[in-house]
Amino acid sequence: MLPLPLQALSCAAIDDVLAWCVLALASSFAKSGSALLGLYTTLLAAAYVMFMVLILRRVLAMLHGLLVRKQQQASPYYMVFIFILLLASAFTTEGLGIHCFFGGFMMGLIVPKDGGFAGSFVTRMELLVGECRIESADVSVGCQCAVDCICHL
C-alpha cells in the first residue's frame, strides 16, 4: 500500500489528466458546430494523445537516456528542442480544434522526469514566462504529474 501523500499526489495527477481530457472533449464539440465534426475532432485528438504517449514519449526517453549517459541532460540544445516540441504540440492541438493549453499539458506529461531534467526545464520555462509572458502553468503541472505512479495504485 502506498503512503497517504503519494496516494493524494496520484489522485491529483489523475484529476488533472481527466480534467484536461474532459476540457478537450468539450472544446472539440463546442468549436466544431456539429456532432459529426465534434466526433471527428475527438478522434483526431485521441490519435494525437496516442502518438504523444506511445511514440514521442519513448523517443524522448531514448534521447534522454543517451544524453544522461553522456552527462549532457541539461544541454541548452536539448532544452531548445523540448521547447520547440512544446510549441509544436500546442500548435497541433490548437489546429485540431482543442485548446493549445492541452498540447502544453500533454508535452509536460511526456517530458522525461528522471535526472532532474523536468525540474530544470520548469525553472527555465518560468524564467521565459517572466520575460515573455508566455503561459506555462500547464507545462509545469504536466511536468509534475507522476503518471507512472498511477499504475502502482
Side-chain angles (χ1 to χ4, degrees):
M1 188 157 142
L2 291 174
L4 186 60
L6 189 56
Q7 286 180 355
L9 185 62
S10 298
C11 288
I14 291 170
D15 179 51
D16 282 348
V17 171
L18 289 178
W20 277 107
C21 290
V22 168
L23 180 65
L25 182 67
S27 177
S28 68
F29 278 97
K31 286 186 177 180
S32 64
S34 73
L36 187 59
L37 286 175
L39 180 63
Y40 179 71
T41 302
T42 302
L43 292 175
L44 285 176
Y48 163 78
V49 168
M50 291 298 165
F51 171 77
M52 294 289 283
V53 171
L54 297 177
I55 297 173
L56 192 58
R57 184 177 185 187
R58 290 182 181 166
V59 169
L60 287 178
M62 289 179 1
L63 180 62
H64 185 70
L66 177 70
L67 290 173
V68 166
R69 281 193 298 273
K70 292 184 175 185
Q71 297 177 345
Q72 295 179 346
Q73 66 265 23
S75 165
Y77 299 113
Y78 186 51
M79 294 278 183
V80 168
F81 175 69
I82 295 295
F83 184 70
I84 289 171
L85 284 178
L86 166 70
L87 294 177
S89 177
F91 182 74
T92 301
T93 54
E94 188 69 31
L96 288 176
I98 53 180
H99 209 285
C100 62
F101 289 162
F102 184 73
F105 181 76
M106 283 304 301
M107 189 62 202
L109 280 179
I110 67 166
V111 167
K113 312 287 190 284
D114 57 339
F117 174 75
S120 172
F121 184 70
V122 168
T123 301
R124 294 196 178 162
M125 282 296 299
E126 287 171 352
L127 292 173
L128 183 65
V129 168
E131 293 297 321
C132 300
R133 306 288 186 248
I134 297 174
E135 179 63 47
S136 74
D138 306 308
V139 177
S140 178
V141 169
C143 283
Q144 293 170 4
C145 283
V147 178
D148 297 335
C149 291
I150 296 171
C151 298
H152 300 297
L153 288 178

